[in-house]
Amino acid sequence: MQENNEKKQEIFDTPGSGRSEDRQNGHPIHRVLSFVRRSGRLDARLQRAWGTYSSEYLLDINAGEGSLDVREGFSFDGEYVRKVWGNANPLIVEIGSGQGENVVAAAEANPGMNFLALEVYDPGVAHTLLLAGKKGLGNLRVAQVNAPELFKVMADGVAAEVWTFFPDPWPKKKHHKRRIVQPELAGQVRRSLADGGVWRIATDIEDYALHVHEVMDGLDGWENVGGITVSLPVEHVGKGNADLAEGMPHADFAESSRFDGRVLTNFEKKGLVAGRVIHDFTYRKA
């Protein structure tokens, strides 16, 4: 479910959804996004997958063609889940499903759970549709929307878990505000979770691990239930000073063992081959 570095071309959202909050004093408002809008070309195989499976798996909730906003007046609540999935089973939402390897494997392994994959990148959406269609999964749906916008319209307690695995690290310090894990989204995720629900996060970037701790560990209403102690630099490092990290002051943080429900995707394998350490987090709604 990784939202990876292939998504960097634009920095800001393109206005034009027509919603009132997109304009201020008659001028468009640029919203900071954690991904990049770009038109990814689909090869013939993915084009066929889109044409074959989109009607079955891709949710029709967008504000308009080409928009990643949720249409005005839409509410993602228990009634909608029962209508779309045909049951009231617990729902797991994955933010940034990438090529769909993880969410499809999880849906296949857990037929008694409902899964929603959120992905903005065309090839990733198409590949997820292809994998789900080949396996004939009935408990998975895909939404091509900006995740924070969808969580704003999610009803309280509608999700059992939220997963965010290997999000775009945005390594430059000036871009840290574009990282998907932010206090505002954390508040929306917490509201959408049922009592005792969890937000599972994983990254193979040490500086992003520090960012997660900075955002999440001090937030009211969240409990870090990690049982492993890790040592991290307490100063942010990036491409320019990564070689200095080892000599920086360190502090201990609580993290989790690897989540058994996450398959070893090609993206994670590349990180391991490169010698990066995987950081897992489990934050429970307190």
Side-chain angles (χ1 to χ4, degrees):
M1 123 152 226
Q2 50 274 23
E3 181 184 2
N4 58 42
N5 292 335
E6 296 175 351
K7 300 177 185 174
K8 294 184 177 175
Q9 183 180 9
E10 298 176 23
I11 288 182
F12 294 107
D13 188 16
T14 302
S17 68
R19 302 183 311 166
S20 60
E21 60 264 38
D22 285 334
R23 305 188 68 84
Q24 187 177 58
N25 299 324
H27 298 287
I29 297 174
H30 291 297
R31 287 175 293 160
V32 176
L33 297 179
S34 62
F35 60 89
V36 170
R37 295 290 308 269
R38 82 177 190 185
S39 56
R41 291 181 176 273
L42 302 182
D43 60 25
R45 179 184 62 132
L46 294 181
Q47 285 280 11
R48 288 194 300 270
W50 197 293
T52 302
Y53 300 118
S54 60
S55 61
E56 181 176 358
Y57 292 105
L58 190 59
L59 299 183
D60 181 18
I61 62 176
N62 297 70
E65 185 176 356
S67 172
L68 296 178
D69 288 329
V70 178
R71 68 171 176 265
E72 190 172 353
F74 174 76
S75 178
F76 192 102
D77 54 16
E79 181 180 354
Y80 180 78
V81 172
R82 289 188 292 273
K83 176 183 175 182
V84 171
W85 277 266
N87 58 62
N89 292 340
L91 174 70
I92 295 176
V93 182
E94 185 179 52
I95 300 174
S97 53
Q99 298 297 306
E101 296 170 88
N102 184 72
V103 72
V104 168
E108 183 179 25
N110 299 277
M113 303 284 288
N114 294 330
F115 289 83
L116 173 61
L118 305 182
E119 176 57 49
V120 298
Y121 191 47
D122 285 354
V125 172
H127 197 262
T128 304
L129 298 176
L130 177 62
L131 294 179
K134 280 186 172 182
K135 294 181 180 297
L137 299 178
N139 60 336
L140 172 64
R141 297 295 185 272
V142 182
Q144 191 175 20
V145 295
N146 181 16
E149 297 303 310
L150 182 59
F151 276 95
K152 288 178 183 177
V153 301
M154 278 192 174
D156 295 0
V158 73
E161 294 190 7
V162 174
W163 297 350
T164 307
F165 299 144
F166 305 101
D168 193 323
W170 289 100
K172 294 181 180 179
K173 192 169 183 178
K174 66 179 181 179
H175 290 157
H176 286 187
K177 61 186 176 182
R178 310 191 191 289
R179 291 174 167 178
I180 188 68
V181 178
Q182 299 290 349
E184 182 178 359
L185 179 60
Q188 298 291 357
V189 168
R190 184 186 182 280
R191 184 186 52 75
S192 74
L193 285 172
D195 290 344
V198 298
W199 189 4
R200 302 186 189 277
I201 304 170
T203 181
D204 61 352
I205 303 298
E206 186 175 67
D207 187 68
Y208 202 101
L210 176 63
H211 172 82
V212 172
H213 287 297
E214 288 179 336
V215 171
M216 296 296 297
D217 287 355
L219 284 181
D220 291 338
W222 289 104
E223 179 187 4
N224 183 343
V225 296
I228 296 175
T229 300
V230 301
S231 179
L232 295 173
V234 294
E235 298 177 27
H236 282 285
V237 298
K239 293 180 178 179
N241 63 342
D243 57 331
L244 304 177
E246 187 174 345
M248 290 181 176
H250 281 55
D252 290 340
F253 298 88
E255 295 183 2
S256 297
S257 57
R258 189 183 190 281
F259 175 45
D260 289 339
R262 189 177 79 244
V263 299
L264 187 62
T265 63
N266 289 328
F267 184 87
E268 186 172 353
K269 289 176 184 176
K270 290 179 181 178
L272 292 172
V273 170
R276 292 194 287 270
V277 175
I278 310 300
H279 298 264
D280 273 81
F281 310 84
T282 309
Y283 290 96
R284 178 178 293 145
K285 179 179 179 178

